[in-house]
Amino acid sequence: MHPSFRSLTGAARPLALAALSLAVAGALFAPTNADASAFQLKENSAKGLGRAFAGATTAGGDVSVVVNNPAAMSELDGTYFQADVTAINFSAKFKGSAHDVLGRPISGGNGGDAGTTLPVPAFAFSTKVNDRVNVGLAFDVPFGFQTEYDKDWMGRYDAVKTKLQSLDATLSASYKVNDQFSLGVSAIAERTSAELTNAINFNAVGLSIQQGIGAQTAAGVAQIQAAAQAGQITPAQAAAMIQAAVAQGQAAAAGVAAVTPQGVDGFARVKGDSWSWGWQLGGLWKPTANDRVGLNYRSRISHDIEGTANFTTTAGYDLLLANPQLASSIPAFQRTPGKARLTNPAVASLSYWHQEEKFGLGMDLAWTQWSVMRQLTLHYANPGQPDTSLPFNWRDTWYASVGGDYYVNSKLTLRAGVAVDQAPMNAGNRDARVPDAARRMATFGIGYKASEQLEFNASYAHIFVSHAGVNGASSSTKDVLAGSFDDYGNLLSLSVQYKF
C-alpha cells in the first residue's frame, strides 16, 4: 500500500501549527527591564528614582503625581511643566545548554548580551484651576521591555528579539476636600505595540512529518494483515505487499529527512498593536502638618491586539510544499493575521512621607496584579487553524522601598533610597523572552533649584538581580533550554521642572 501524504495532516500539522501559534503569541504578548518586575516601568520621575520611589505619590513638588497619584496634584500651587528622561541599561547573559525533541544538542552560542540601552521619556503638566481643583496631563511609558539575542544562539527557537511598549496619555483632576483630604481621578488612553522574532526548527517539523509517514505505513500494514487473516489475500501476497509498503514509507521518510536537516532553520517575525482605555483613583491624607499618606489604584487595561506574522521558510521545506499531495497537509508558514487579548496589570500603591526642615523621609509599598497573565489565547483569521492557549502562570508581586531627601541648602538637595521587588515568575516558568528575577535596587540623586521657577534633577540607580534559573523552557517545537541568566541594570535619569 502506498502511504498518502494527505493522511499526514493529523500528525504533522499540530507541531507546525504550534510553531506558528507561539510566534504570533509571542508578538502579541511579548513581553528594557527596569526597576519594576517583568516589563513594568516606574521611570517617570528623576526625583522619585533618586529615593527609589519611596513616597513617590506624597513627597510634594513632583509633577509626576499626575500619573502616580492624581490626588497629590492638590499640593502643587501654580502651573508646572516637567520633562524627564531615563536611560535604562539592562544586561542579560545566559549560561546553559539546549537540546531538541530527540535529545540532540542544539548548535549555537549563549546568545551574547540580550540586554540593551534605551531612553524612556515622560512629560507632565499640572495647573491649579482654583483653591480646590487641579488638572493635569501627562505622557509616559508604564510598560516596556526589549531583549535581543544573537540570531544563531542555542535558544533561537525560544526567542531572538522581543520588544513591547505601552505609551500612556493620562488626563487627571484632583479635588481638595479640606486641608487634610484630597481626591483624584484619571482617564488613561494607552497604545501597546509588540514585536517578536524567533527561528523555526524545520527539522522538528520534518520529524513530525516522518512520524506521520510511519503511522500511515503502520496502518497500511495492519490493513494488509487483516486482509490476509480474512483470507482475502494469500500470505505470500501479504508479505510482498507489506515489504513494498514499508520500503515506500522508508523512502518517503528519508526524502523528508534529507530536505529538513538539523540546523537549517526558518525565521518568524510578528508585530501587533492596540489602543485601549483605563482609569485610576487616588487619595491624599495629611494627618499632621509634617506627614502625608497617599493611596492610588490604577486599573488593569485589556488590549485586543491584532498582529501579522511573516515567515521565512527553507529551500527544503519549499520542496515539500511544491508536492501537490503534501501541500494541503502541512502549513505553508505564509503571512497570516492573528488576534489575542493582552491585559496590562492593575497596580495599587501606598505611600508615606514625613517632612522636616532639613530632610524628608518616605516609604512605598506597591502591589502589581501579574496573576492576570495566567494564559494567552490566540484566535486566527484562518478558520483552519484552531485557537491556541499558552500558559504563563505568573503571580502577583510586591515592591517596597524606603528613601529620602536631605536639604543641603535652599538650592541643593541630595537623595538616596533602597528597594526590593519580587518577580512574577520562577525557574519553572521563566523563559528567554523575559529573563527576570527578584531584584534589589540602590539609588542616589541630586536636585538643584536654579531659581524660584527652574529646577533640575538627576538620579542614578543600580539593580541587583537574583539568580534567574531556567528549568527547561520548551519552545513550540519541543526544543528545551536549561540554565540560568546573569542579569543587572543601571538607570540614569534627568529632569527639568519649570513653574510658570
Side-chain angles (χ1 to χ4, degrees), residues 290-304:
N290 295 335
D291 297 285
R292 295 191 286 270
V293 179
L295 181 64
N296 190 72
Y297 179 83
R298 172 191 164 99
S299 73
R300 62 187 185 183
I301 300 179
S302 295
H303 290 269
D304 290 318

Side-chain angles (χ1 to χ4, degrees), residues 179-197:
D179 289 340
Q180 287 185 306
F181 293 98
S182 297
L183 300 174
V185 63
S186 302
I188 304 168
E190 183 172 86
R191 181 184 185 272
T192 292
S193 60
E195 178 184 0
L196 174 140
T197 68

Side-chain angles (χ1 to χ4, degrees), residues 20 23-24 27 196-198 200 266-271 307-313 333-337:
L20 173 63
V24 177
L196 174 140
T197 68
N198 59 267
I200 302 173
F267 201 73
R269 179 176 181 268
V270 193
K271 297 184 71 173
T308 301
N310 293 280
F311 302 96
T312 300
T313 57
F333 287 96
Q334 295 175 342
R335 178 184 175 92
T336 182

